[in-house]
Each structure stands twice: as C-alpha cells, then as structure tokens.
Amino acid sequence: MSAIDPATLTVVHRRLKAITNEMSLALLRSARSAILSEARDFVTAVFDAGGRLLEQTEHIPVLAYALPPAMERVIQFFAGEIHPGDVILHNDPFTGGNQCADVKVIKPVFHGGRLAAWVAISGHQADVGGAQPGAYNPGARTIFEEALRIPPVKLFEAGRLRRDVWQLIFGNVRFEELVEGDIKAAIGGVTVGERAYLELLEAHGEEKLRLYTDELIATTERMMRSEIARIPDGVYHARTIACHDGFDPAAQMPVNLHLTVTGDEIGFDYAGTAPQTQGYVNSPLSATLSSTMLSLLMCLDVRAMPNNAGRLRPIRISVPEGSMLNPRFPAATSYGNHLADQISAAVFQALAQAVPQQVTAGWNPTHSALLVGSDPRRGKPFVDILFMAAKGGGGALHGHDGYDHIGSIYTAGGVRAQDPEMFEHANPMLIHRYEYAPDSAGAGRWRGGYGVRFEMEFLAEVDYISVIGDGTVGAARPFGLFGGQPGCLNEIELVGPGSRRHRVAAKEVMRSVARGTRWHQTKAGGGGYGDPRERPREAVRREVQQGLISLERAAQDYGFSPGSLADEPSR
C-alpha cells in the first residue's frame, strides 16, 4: 500500500468539502423559493460508489445524517441499472427518507465507464401534493393524506428526460412552477458536483483517491472514538415529553432514552418511547438517526473533524419498530424532523449526568407556520414559512449564555431568517414588530438565549395556515440545567378585524384568515444554566437597562431588590 502523504490528505479533504460548498452555492443562486434561497433548508453531499458518505455541507443539520439511509436504499433499488446521466428523485420516509417535503435529488458519477461516486442534494420543497398544501397536515392519519410518496425513481435515464415521470410527479404538486424551479436548481447543483468530482478524479486517479478517502474515513473514526472515550463509561437515562399529536391537544408522548457509553463507543436505546401516534407526530427512522447524531455532535468537539461516514461507526442506535420514533407504514410522519426538539432534550439531559460542562440547557421548541394564499399585487399564489418568527433562543452552556435568535435545535443555527423587506416583497404582509422578546430567556448563572417577538399584518386574505410546533404548555418548556430556569413558552395569537382574538394551538390549521388580521408571536428563549443568583450583577443590570429583563423578573429570578435598577445609568 502506498504511503499516505498528510498534505495530500488535507488537499483531498478540503476539495471534497469545496465540492459540497459549490453544490450549495449553485442551488442558492438558482432556487426559486425563499425556503432554499434564503432560509437554506437543504444539505449537499458526496458519497463513494458504495454509498459511504465522503463529505457534506449541512445548512440544516437535521437533514445531514438522513441522507445516508436514503442513499443506501437508492443503491439497492437500482443495483445493476445505473447509467451515466441518470438523475434520481426520492422522498419516501418508508424507503430511507426522513420527511416527504425533503426531496432528494441524486446523481451517479461515472469515470472511465465505471461508477465512481454519487452526489446528492436534499431540500425542503414548498409542496409535495397530499390533502393539504405544503405537506404539513395535522389532520393526516396516514402518509397518503400528507404527500405524493416518491420511492426511488429516475427523472433522467442515461441523460434523457423521462417526460412521463416528470409530468406524473409535477402534475400532483401545487405551486408547480415554484417546485419545478427548485428541483431544476437541485439538478443543476448535483451536476456541478458531478463535474467537480470528475476534476478531482482526473487530478489524483481512481486508485489514489480511493486510498485517500479510505484514510479520511478511518481518521474521522479515530477522532470520533477519541471524543467518545472522554465521556465516562456508564448508563444514563432521560425522558422528555412531546405534546399534541395533531388530534388531541392534551396528548403527551414520552421520548425515553437509555444512553450507554462503553470505552470509545456510545449507544442510544429508545425503548419505552411512546407508540406511534394517530397523527403526524412520528419520526421516520432516518430522521431519528439524524436528530440523535446532531444532538451528540453538539456535545463533542468536532470542529476539526471531517464530516464523513467515520463519524457514524462508533454509534449504535436502537429504536423499537412501531414507536413514535420508528413508525410502521403507512403512518403520517411529516412532523418527524421536529421531534429533534425532544430527542435532543433527552440526549442533553442524559449526557449532562456524564459531562455536565459539555451540554447545553434546552433550546426553544419548534413553533412556526406555513402560509398559503393568493397575492393580489401579482395575481399569483404565494407560499412561505415564517422563519423570522421561528428564531427562538438556544440553551445556555457552562461558561456561556445561550445564543439569541438562533432557531430551534433541528437547525442548530443553520436556518437563516428571511430579509424583512424581501419577505414583504414576496408576500402580501406588513411587518410591524421584529425584536428580542423581553423575559423570554431562562435565568441562570449563564442565561438562555433570547427568543423573538414578531408581529405582522395580513394585507390580503390568507387561504391556508398550518401551524406546526410544540412548547405551548409547561411540559415542553426549554429546560434549565443545574439550577437554571426554563425559557418561556411559545405563543401565537391572531387579532382579527373587530379585535377578535384567537389563541393558536401548537398544531392547528386555519382557513380563509381575513385581510387586516394581525399575527402576534412570541418564540421561546432557551433554558438557563446554573444558579441565577450567581450571575454577575452588571450583566443583569445591563439587560434591564436594555429592556430585555423586566424589573419584576430581575427581582424574582436574580434577587435584585425592587427599584434598585430603575435609576442606574446606562453604559
């Protein structure tokens, strides 16, 4: 075997990362929807011919480790039938997918007549058919009410467009022009990846590149094992609660975790988790695997670690079939990505028993909305997700306050808030307020991150709103650690013409919402870490002066005497 040159190994690693970045830029610059072009709700990846992950760029981390199971099923399904110029589409949660709206576009890379690699993009689409627009249907009891289910299928075969397949798929999708545009952008992105990987092959040759990618994966595995070995051996247990199954607002479904560390390996056993629900609050297995991985990686130092299959090798994940985290066909599953809230909370609470200085307190749970209607300014439909209003606070960490305005854990800060002016340009809405929410952060020696307060006015009737989320009741508040306080609750209220008020549930569908209605939303802050009475008084004083902490909460949570801060000069 040839000796590995460290400099060449670094060059190969950086080039693989650059390929996934180039694919991302191609998609960002050509996508039609704000979901991809602004919020960056997608992931790009390169796999070897056998389906091993070589590198990825995960703008939304919960999508990252959901790609390998889909890639595995695609390879199995098309074994012996892959040709240069093929483009494969896939979204099915029961054949390796994670969410129907997260559509995979996959392209094989051939070199010298042989399959050399795969390039893939998974991105959230504005619509994928089903009974309701946008693929978030709280009333769904099976996948058939959620979306057009797409097991692996070729859009292009040997470079030729399959017009019949294209028309079949997009004939069953709303907002056809928008979704077609985004899929075409993804096809362009994987084509950029294919060309870039071929350049890498030409530079190094197949045999040498295989040698170096093998070494990259082995090196990553060693780094991952070294990180896990720093966690004390033991069995650690945690239990968290998901609320509202889509039908019953009072439903509470536990996520039960036994986490076992043995040497340089770690196991996650979800036995005892709630059975699959009657509604869409179920996580396909690939989404559960990805949520578990992103939660673990947030507790480790992976800054210098390549993002390839080596990270997965020391990990064992067991999820009972028929549970909420591994439902049986044909369960509804479109909420599954967002169960990362409860999965991460369980992982963090379990690891807090072993490595208390490496975990964060609870992050703000998902609470967002999909809005669909017709824009009278253009005579065209609009569809959008309120990413700005969804940017709550992160949990505090030993030594650090939580991140403000970062978003829910499944994005881990990856989702971008839309530009307010672009949002108003794209949608018939007027933003009246968009700011940090006072008293939203959990108090602590290190406080949680601040959530947001968002208010907008509908300038046209909105045909359909699907609210998705959790955290509107106490059982699902962002938890504090080691004396830290929980973050606030999520809350949405609509104020209609005539001042009619409606408190919106965690999961709810609303139709024909009148022009002039105002949307008031508070997105939760993160949980605090440590005793709030130990927080530096100057830090509390400064945030009171900035209007982020009320005098009442300063007294209640941090022990300041009433009135002691009112006349302090601002600095």
Side-chain angles (χ1 to χ4, degrees), residues 237-243 252-257 270 272-274 324-325 339-350 470 475-477 479:
H237 175 259
R239 185 179 180 89
T240 58
I241 299 294
C243 299
Q252 295 195 353
M253 298 80 68
V255 170
N256 198 61
L257 172 64
Y270 289 99
T273 291
M324 181 175 65
L325 301 185
L339 284 170
D341 294 331
Q342 287 73 32
I343 292 171
S344 66
V347 172
F348 292 166
Q349 290 181 38
D470 207 325
R477 288 178 71 178
F479 64 89

Side-chain angles (χ1 to χ4, degrees), residues 293-315:
M293 280 298 298
L294 85 85
S295 305
L296 171 63
L297 292 171
M298 289 182 66
C299 301
L300 305 178
D301 185 356
V302 298
R303 289 171 293 179
M305 190 184 297
N307 201 346
N308 61 42
R311 292 189 180 190
L312 297 164
R313 288 182 172 176
I315 315 300

Side-chain angles (χ1 to χ4, degrees), residues 369-441:
L370 175 85
L371 294 88
V372 177
S374 180
D375 189 342
R377 300 171 300 178
R378 299 178 177 85
K380 290 185 176 182
F382 70 88
V383 57
D384 215 320
I385 297 174
L386 293 182
F387 288 107
M388 286 178 288
K391 297 280 281 185
L397 175 70
H398 184 274
H400 301 279
D401 293 341
Y403 285 107
D404 306 321
H405 182 250
I406 193 171
S408 298
I409 191 75
Y410 75 96
T411 74
V415 70
R416 301 291 183 90
Q418 294 147 289
D419 179 277
E421 291 182 351
M422 290 300 295
F423 176 82
E424 292 176 338
H425 175 74
N427 306 295
M429 297 169 192
L430 177 65
I431 298 171
H432 288 274
R433 185 194 298 263
Y434 181 31
E435 62 189 16
Y436 289 146
D439 291 335
S440 59

